[in-house]
Amino acid sequence: MAEGTLGRWIKKVGDSVDRDAPLFEIPTDKVDAEIPSPAAGVLMTIAVKEGETVAVNSVVATIGAVGEQAPAP
């Protein structure tokens, strides 16, 4: 698999996320796979919208510490 289409964000900007908790879904022919968060913190930015196709290992969001400022676009 070289690319995937982001199906649905489970978390929203500003939500707390736990490491390995579902962050978003990637639909496949058989099932919608839940993709886990690689880190714990707060979802600060979303770089890929629902329905967009991106290469595997692309940055799709930013997770930061509580109180941290979101990076400039």
Side-chain angles (χ1 to χ4, degrees):
M1 182 171 178
E3 63 184 18
T5 301
L6 196 142
R8 175 179 76 93
W9 281 99
I10 297 169
K11 297 289 187 174
K12 307 280 186 244
V13 171
D15 286 353
S16 284
V17 294
D18 294 323
R19 182 182 174 102
D20 296 327
L23 191 58
F24 60 91
E25 294 178 346
I26 299 285
T28 67
D29 291 339
K30 296 183 182 191
V31 69
D32 289 351
E34 291 182 343
I35 307 304
S37 174
V42 175
L43 184 58
M44 300 181 77
T45 63
I46 292 177
V48 177
K49 296 177 185 160
E50 293 177 356
E52 285 188 49
T53 300
V54 295
V56 171
N57 292 327
S58 294
V59 174
V60 297
T62 304
I63 297 172
V66 174
E68 185 177 342
Q69 294 292 327

